[in-house]
Each structure stands twice: as structure tokens, then as C-alpha cells.
Amino acid sequence: MHSSFSDQLAGLDLSGFSIGPAPVSTNDFPVHEAVVQTLEAVWSDLFAMVSGTALEADAEDLGWAFVNIFHRSATRKSTAVDRATDEVRALLATADGSEIHTHELETQVERAQCAEGAMIALEEMREVAAALYLNEFGSSWKPVSSSRFNHSAMLTSALVEGREFIRARCEAKRRAAMPEGTPVIFAGGRTRHPNEQDALTFANNVWATLDKVHDRVPDMVLVHGGDTKGVDRLASSWAERRSIPQISFSLDMRLGARAGFKRNERMLSLDPRYVVAFPGNGVLERLVIEAKSRRITVVDRRGPLGTSPKRAAQNTD
């Protein structure tokens, strides 16, 4: 049975693995300074090439795709780690204490660690490219249909034993998916402004409000809807500039009209410290009402240009 199962595992797509000592130091991958210098040079040359041409209007799409190259590569390596981890788990379940079995287990652990090291290196390259994207276009880079995990500082020791590797892998994935800290929900809709000055004032109010909330919640984790065309984009960019971890709850369009309300429930289930509300639709109004009913403090900025409605009413009076 063990031999048959091993044959099935061997038939899986394990491309990209390299058998040998697991890399455990930065010397086995490009150093950070080299990554930064190289990607900055490529980025600069790319946009110098399209500047002033008919492709200049597509510059942001090109920038997004540039970052996505490293994101997709890191995602594939993460999948490779998961496959190798499954093999380690299968070998542990069929352990017989023999020298052949022990060697096979050690080989699979090394393969998993090589893939994990490559995944972390590629994630670092993606983060450098994402910072270039943020500086160029003023918005945070976000993948279309997946999460932007960052497993840095989680590289597993090459001397780890099989069971410990599996536990470490599960813990690394959990920590990447659920950042430690105090959740703060940010909510707002898509707004249009008559002129550039009003748009700038609104954006400054968003950042100033989040700065004040962060002063009160130093371990803040920003929770938002991930709308790349709405005010969520401003909040996401603020979080990236401040190195604040983010959790994005996209709409589940399969739920139809209930999608927005279901997202509210999922975000509120995190027991946030604050709900920061900017102008939006009826779904946002329901979020504010539900937050108040749970005695969650609401930072209300649904007044003109992202100001407090009470202050706006006082100025009117």
C-alpha cells in the first residue's frame, strides 16, 4: 500500500523542486539591496519607454501586471509547499523506522523547505514591486482574486523534524492569513467630486482620520471591503504607507442583493474596536446601525468631504 501511494504522489506535478540541502539564509537568494536596485531599474526603464506614447494610458495596467508576475510565482511556490507538506504527512503516517523511509522523509522535508524559501524570496520581490506601484500610482497593489500573504521572517529551520515542519507550516499560514492585532473596520462607498481640490480634501480627511484612530490603536489591523474604485482604495494605500496589516472582505456576488449585508456580518464577527464610516449606501448605513447596537464605537465621517456630520450641522446652524 505504501509503495502504491508513493507512486501516486510521485505522479503529482512537483516541478520547481530541487533536491539538496535546504536554503536557510539570505545568501541562498538575491539580497534585498540587489532586488531593490534591479526592480527599480526595470520599473524606471519600463515607464520611460511608454511615456509619451499611446501606451501611456495603459501604464497602470502594466504596473499592476509587473507586480503580479512575482505574486503568481510566489503563489505557485506556496502550492508546491502544500504538496510537499502533504507528502511529509503521508510519510509520517506510514513510518516504519527503516533507514530508507527515514531518508525519504528527510528528502521530502528538504524539498518543502527549498520551495518555502523560494516562496518567501518571491514574496519579498513582490513587496518591493508593490511599493514601486504605490509610489507611481498612489494606490495599494491588490491581486484580483487571491490574498496577498507575506510569510517573511517565517523561514523554517533546515534541521526541523517532519512533524515540527508540518506544525510550523500550519502556524505560518495561519499567521499570514490572520494578522495579530486589534481589528478596525473602515467602510465607505464610491464618491465623485466636482473638482480636484475637493477630491484632495476628501483624501486628506480619510488619511487624517485613520492616523487619529491608529494613535489610539497602535496594533491596529485595517479591515475593509477591498473596492479598488472606491474610498477603500484610499484606506488601503494609507495602510500600506504606514505598514499596517490589512484584511479585505470582498463581496460574494453569488449572494446577490444580500452580499453587502453578509460582508457586514463577517467583518463585525471580528469584534472590531472601531468602525470608521465615510459616505456610502444603505448597506453602509446598516453596518453603522449594527455596530452601534453592539456597542462598537463608530467614527462617523459621513459629512461633506469626509467630515463629521455633527460638525457640519453645527456650522450650518
Side-chain angles (χ1 to χ4, degrees):
M1 180 178 292
H2 170 67
S3 177
S4 175
F5 189 45
S6 296
D7 291 341
Q8 293 179 32
L9 290 174
L12 295 174
D13 179 14
L14 299 175
S15 59
F17 284 144
S18 58
I19 301 176
V24 294
S25 74
T26 55
N27 294 331
D28 296 291
F29 298 102
V31 297
H32 180 73
E33 292 76 12
V35 170
V36 172
Q37 291 176 8
T38 301
L39 295 189
E40 283 182 347
V42 173
W43 184 276
S44 176
D45 289 347
L46 173 64
F47 289 100
M49 178 183 67
V50 301
S51 179
T53 72
L55 290 178
E56 188 169 6
D58 300 308
E60 185 167 356
D61 288 342
L62 291 173
W64 185 92
F66 182 80
V67 184
N68 197 50
I69 291 173
F70 301 103
H71 176 71
R72 286 178 60 84
S73 296
T75 301
R76 285 194 293 268
K77 284 298 180 182
S78 179
T79 301
V81 176
D82 289 339
R83 288 175 177 171
T85 303
D86 288 341
E87 290 200 27
V88 171
R89 185 178 288 110
L91 287 168
L92 288 171
T94 58
D96 57 11
S98 67
E99 184 176 345
I100 294 177
H101 188 279
T102 300
H103 175 71
E104 190 173 357
L105 176 59
E106 291 174 350
T107 299
Q108 291 300 336
V109 170
E110 287 179 356
R111 284 178 170 174
Q113 290 169 331
C114 287
E116 186 175 47
M119 175 193 71
I120 292 172
L122 288 165
E123 285 181 345
E124 179 188 12
M125 294 179 186
R126 180 201 60 200
E127 292 305 305
V128 171
L132 293 170
Y133 181 91
L134 177 64
N135 290 333
E136 184 78 29
F137 302 108
S139 61
S140 179
W141 185 88
K142 181 180 181 294
V144 171
S145 59
S146 61
S147 298
R148 181 178 160 186
F149 292 152
N150 191 356
H151 298 81
S152 61
M154 298 179 188
L155 185 60
T156 310
S157 168
L159 301 177
V160 71
E161 187 268 337
R163 290 182 178 83
E164 292 179 359
F165 173 82
I166 290 177
R167 285 197 295 268
R169 172 62 181 162
C170 292
E171 175 64 12
K173 293 186 71 173
R174 185 195 68 79
R175 289 176 57 193
M178 289 296 297
E180 296 181 1
T182 302
V184 171
I185 294 177
F186 179 91
R190 299 184 180 184
T191 58
R192 292 188 177 183
H193 304 283
N195 54 64
E196 186 175 337
Q197 183 59 44
D198 283 357
L200 180 60
T201 300
F202 180 79
N204 287 337
N205 285 338
V206 170
W207 281 44
T209 300
L210 289 172
D211 279 334
K212 290 179 181 179
V213 173
H214 185 223
D215 288 341
R216 299 180 184 178
V217 188
D219 65 339
M220 169 180 174
V221 175
L222 186 69
V223 181
H224 58 82
D227 184 1
T228 58
K229 296 183 179 179
V231 71
D232 288 346
R233 179 171 179 168
L234 290 172
S236 182
S237 297
W238 171 87
E240 188 155 345
R241 293 283 191 187
R242 302 290 191 269
S243 298
I244 305 297
Q246 306 176 53
I247 302 177
S248 174
F249 283 87
S250 300
L251 289 173
D252 186 350
M253 304 310 297
R254 296 172 299 178
L255 299 176
R258 297 186 295 113
F261 300 103
K262 184 62 177 179
R263 178 169 65 183
N264 288 351
E265 294 177 12
R266 293 170 64 199
M267 292 195 296
L268 289 172
S269 69
L270 299 179
D271 296 325
R273 173 79 175 275
Y274 293 101
V275 169
V276 181
F278 278 78
N281 56 19
V283 176
L284 184 142
E285 299 296 324
R286 174 53 57 182
L287 174 66
V288 171
I289 293 171
E290 184 63 25
K292 289 181 178 179
S293 71
R294 300 188 185 195
R295 300 186 181 278
I296 299 171
T297 302
V298 175
V299 181
D300 197 342
R301 294 294 183 268
R302 291 175 292 168
L305 300 180
T307 58
S308 169
K310 294 181 179 179
R311 187 179 305 168
Q314 292 172 356
N315 293 337
T316 302
D317 294 341

